[in-house]
Tab-separated table of all heavy atoms in Angstrom:
chain	number	residue	atom	x	y	z
A	139	ASP	N	-16.575	9.839	-7.478
A	139	ASP	CA	-15.787	11.095	-7.425
A	139	ASP	C	-16.511	12.120	-8.277
A	139	ASP	O	-16.134	12.372	-9.418
A	139	ASP	CB	-14.373	10.853	-7.923
A	139	ASP	CG	-13.499	12.073	-7.798
A	139	ASP	OD1	-14.002	13.139	-7.369
A	139	ASP	OD2	-12.308	11.989	-8.139
A	140	ILE	N	-17.625	12.688	-7.712
A	140	ILE	CA	-18.513	13.501	-8.548
A	140	ILE	C	-18.075	14.943	-8.690
A	140	ILE	O	-18.593	15.685	-9.493
A	140	ILE	CB	-19.961	13.461	-8.015
A	140	ILE	CG1	-19.962	13.894	-6.546
A	140	ILE	CG2	-20.577	12.108	-8.212
A	140	ILE	CD1	-21.377	14.091	-5.996
A	141	TYR	N	-17.110	15.363	-7.884
A	141	TYR	CA	-16.720	16.781	-7.980
A	141	TYR	C	-15.769	17.048	-9.133
A	141	TYR	O	-15.546	18.153	-9.539
A	141	TYR	CB	-16.056	17.244	-6.670
A	141	TYR	CG	-16.911	16.858	-5.505
A	141	TYR	CD1	-16.576	15.786	-4.685
A	141	TYR	CD2	-18.121	17.536	-5.277
A	141	TYR	CE1	-17.392	15.415	-3.649
A	141	TYR	CE2	-18.929	17.163	-4.231
A	141	TYR	CZ	-18.561	16.101	-3.423
A	141	TYR	OH	-19.384	15.716	-2.407
A	142	ARG	N	-15.178	15.975	-9.577
A	142	ARG	CA	-14.252	16.095	-10.713
A	142	ARG	C	-14.867	15.375	-11.897
A	142	ARG	O	-14.743	14.166	-12.032
A	142	ARG	CB	-12.933	15.405	-10.308
A	142	ARG	CG	-11.692	16.161	-10.717
A	142	ARG	CD	-10.434	15.652	-10.016
A	142	ARG	NE	-10.317	14.207	-9.912
A	142	ARG	CZ	-9.639	13.450	-10.748
A	142	ARG	NH1	-9.034	13.964	-11.775
A	142	ARG	NH2	-9.556	12.155	-10.543
A	143	PRO	N	-15.570	16.112	-12.766
A	143	PRO	CA	-16.233	15.451	-13.919
A	143	PRO	C	-15.253	14.598	-14.709
A	143	PRO	O	-15.606	13.537	-15.210
A	143	PRO	CB	-16.725	16.627	-14.761
A	143	PRO	CG	-16.787	17.779	-13.845
A	143	PRO	CD	-15.770	17.572	-12.775
A	144	ALA	N	-13.992	15.055	-14.750
A	144	ALA	CA	-13.008	14.273	-15.503
A	144	ALA	C	-12.815	12.889	-14.901
A	144	ALA	O	-12.529	11.939	-15.614
A	144	ALA	CB	-11.656	15.025	-15.487
A	145	ALA	N	-13.016	12.780	-13.581
A	145	ALA	CA	-12.819	11.478	-12.924
A	145	ALA	C	-13.910	10.521	-13.382
A	145	ALA	O	-13.639	9.324	-13.610
A	145	ALA	CB	-12.867	11.624	-11.426
A	146	VAL	N	-15.139	11.003	-13.546
A	146	VAL	CA	-16.244	10.158	-14.005
A	146	VAL	C	-15.934	9.704	-15.437
A	146	VAL	O	-16.072	8.514	-15.756
A	146	VAL	CB	-17.596	10.901	-13.909
A	146	VAL	CG1	-18.728	10.023	-14.413
A	146	VAL	CG2	-17.865	11.354	-12.488
A	147	ASP	N	-15.528	10.647	-16.291
A	147	ASP	CA	-15.204	10.266	-17.654
A	147	ASP	C	-14.051	9.277	-17.738
A	147	ASP	O	-14.066	8.327	-18.493
A	147	ASP	CB	-14.782	11.540	-18.458
A	147	ASP	CG	-15.979	12.455	-18.681
A	147	ASP	OD1	-17.113	11.957	-18.567
A	147	ASP	OD2	-15.782	13.655	-18.951
A	148	GLN	N	-13.060	9.538	-16.880
A	148	GLN	CA	-11.876	8.656	-16.834
A	148	GLN	C	-12.328	7.230	-16.476
A	148	GLN	O	-11.878	6.252	-17.100
A	148	GLN	CB	-10.935	9.192	-15.749
A	148	GLN	CG	-9.542	8.617	-15.723
A	148	GLN	CD	-8.764	9.200	-14.513
A	148	GLN	OE1	-9.084	10.281	-14.026
A	148	GLN	NE2	-7.778	8.466	-14.036
A	149	LEU	N	-13.234	7.112	-15.514
A	149	LEU	CA	-13.680	5.792	-15.084
A	149	LEU	C	-14.507	5.133	-16.193
A	149	LEU	O	-14.396	3.927	-16.444
A	149	LEU	CB	-14.505	5.911	-13.787
A	149	LEU	CG	-14.614	4.608	-13.001
A	149	LEU	CD1	-13.255	4.165	-12.478
A	149	LEU	CD2	-15.598	4.741	-11.848
A	150	LYS	N	-15.327	5.964	-16.871
A	150	LYS	CA	-16.136	5.396	-17.969
A	150	LYS	C	-15.208	4.859	-19.078
A	150	LYS	O	-15.475	3.799	-19.659
A	150	LYS	CB	-17.043	6.490	-18.554
A	150	LYS	CG	-18.272	6.760	-17.696
A	150	LYS	CD	-19.142	7.768	-18.454
A	150	LYS	CE	-20.313	8.228	-17.612
A	150	LYS	NZ	-20.929	9.445	-18.159
A	151	GLN	N	-14.198	5.608	-19.344
A	151	GLN	CA	-13.228	5.162	-20.381
A	151	GLN	C	-12.578	3.836	-19.977
A	151	GLN	O	-12.437	2.929	-20.786
A	151	GLN	CB	-12.122	6.211	-20.551
A	151	GLN	CG	-12.392	7.186	-21.654
A	151	GLN	CD	-11.287	8.236	-21.731
A	151	GLN	OE1	-10.154	7.989	-21.327
A	151	GLN	NE2	-11.625	9.407	-22.250
Side-chain angles (χ1 to χ4, degrees):
D139 184 357
I140 54 171
Y141 310 105
R142 222 165 42 96
V146 179
D147 291 341
Q148 192 184 336
L149 200 66
K150 282 185 186 164
Q151 266 178 25

